[in-house]
Amino acid sequence: MTMKPLEHDRRYGELDQVVRAYLGQRADDTPEQRSRALDAYLRHTWHTRPWAIAEAERQLREYSRNPPGRLRLELGEFYSVPDTGMPQAAIQDWLLLLADHLKKSIEEGEVPPPSTPQTHWEWHARFPETAQLLGGWFSQDVVEEFPDHDAAVADYAATTDPQLVARLVGEIQELLALPLDEADYALATAELGMEVGPPEPFSYGAWLQSVALTLSST
């Protein structure tokens, strides 16, 4: 019997966001220094959902102090911490350390300064609809379904709610406003799921501008 979604979110939803910010990153927090992954979580969450940081602190502390017992393990009614490379025996202390850092951030106003996304998690958290387009319509497999990039963009526009299309346009404009060079745009689109290059003669940045212009006029 697995845990129901509502119970999962109430108990572990924000804890899960924190831990997933570490996937592909080093869990190298110390009592004196936050990791790159935790900085990314705080930078994005302070900007979008500041109230959630206190909930994350509570859930981390509660899980660390009361890990699932034998019965919950047998029933499957527990949260399985994703593999971040942390040894199993060290997870409880690590979660408490994260909770302490979140508490300090709240109480002392220690907020990471604005920045270009620094981790895979942060790119997707900040630009979710852009990731939906690039990962869903411009992967190596899906792009074979369309004769060219314009056809893929047209299919996205035709099958996506107009409000989400408008959100995508705003995300692309925000992305283009970041202090990025062409190599950075290539990295950003790869992080967001794009597995093919832009069409000739466009650079990555110019193609993103073209997509935003096309979708804003549909």
Side-chain angles (χ1 to χ4, degrees):
M1 182 180 189
T2 58
M3 189 182 306
K4 292 180 172 58
L6 183 59
E7 182 182 6
H8 172 277
D9 288 350
R10 282 175 172 170
R11 290 188 174 195
Y12 312 118
E14 201 57 34
L15 179 158
D16 188 55
Q17 287 293 309
V18 175
V19 175
R20 289 189 181 280
Y22 280 83
L23 296 180
Q25 300 294 315
R26 295 180 62 186
D28 55 357
D29 306 85
T30 68
E32 296 76 27
Q33 185 71 38
R34 295 189 301 254
S35 65
R36 176 186 177 99
L38 192 59
D39 267 353
Y41 169 81
L42 281 170
R43 180 167 42 246
H44 180 72
T45 309
W46 267 116
H47 179 68
T48 57
R49 302 178 302 123
W51 54 267
I53 299 171
E55 179 62 14
E57 187 266 346
R58 183 192 68 79
Q59 291 183 8
L60 285 161
R61 210 173 290 284
E62 179 66 20
Y63 188 92
S64 177
R65 291 172 175 168
N66 300 285
R70 180 180 59 83
L71 180 59
R72 282 194 172 274
L73 291 172
E74 291 177 354
L75 294 174
E77 296 180 347
F78 70 99
Y79 171 73
S80 179
V81 177
D83 183 10
T84 62
M86 179 68 60
Q88 190 67 30
I91 286 179
Q92 286 178 256
D93 288 342
W94 175 61
L95 294 179
L96 271 181
L97 175 61
L98 301 189
D100 289 343
H101 276 303
L102 296 186
K103 181 180 179 182
K104 183 178 181 181
S105 179
I106 296 168
E107 292 183 341
E108 300 183 12
E110 287 193 358
V111 182
S115 168
T116 299
Q118 299 297 303
T119 68
H120 181 77
W121 178 90
E122 191 176 7
W123 278 110
H124 281 253
R126 186 164 173 180
F127 300 106
E129 196 59 31
T130 309
Q132 179 70 15
L133 170 67
L134 298 182
W137 275 261
F138 293 96
S139 67
Q140 289 181 347
D141 295 331
V142 177
V143 76
E144 294 178 359
E145 299 180 14
F146 306 103
D148 54 32
H149 289 61
D150 288 344
V153 172
D155 184 76
Y156 166 84
T159 58
T160 303
D161 187 282
Q163 295 181 63
L164 295 178
V165 175
R167 183 178 300 170
L168 169 66
V169 172
E171 286 184 9
I172 293 177
Q173 291 172 343
E174 180 181 350
L175 176 58
L176 292 171
L178 295 174
L180 304 178
D181 59 25
E182 188 56 28
D184 295 325
Y185 285 128
L187 173 62
T189 55
E191 289 281 8
L192 293 168
M194 190 172 184
E195 296 179 341
V196 297
E200 295 290 344
F202 289 100
S203 65
Y204 283 94
W207 179 70
L208 287 171
Q209 288 181 319
S210 173
V211 170
L213 181 61
T214 297
L215 292 176
S216 64
S217 61
T218 57

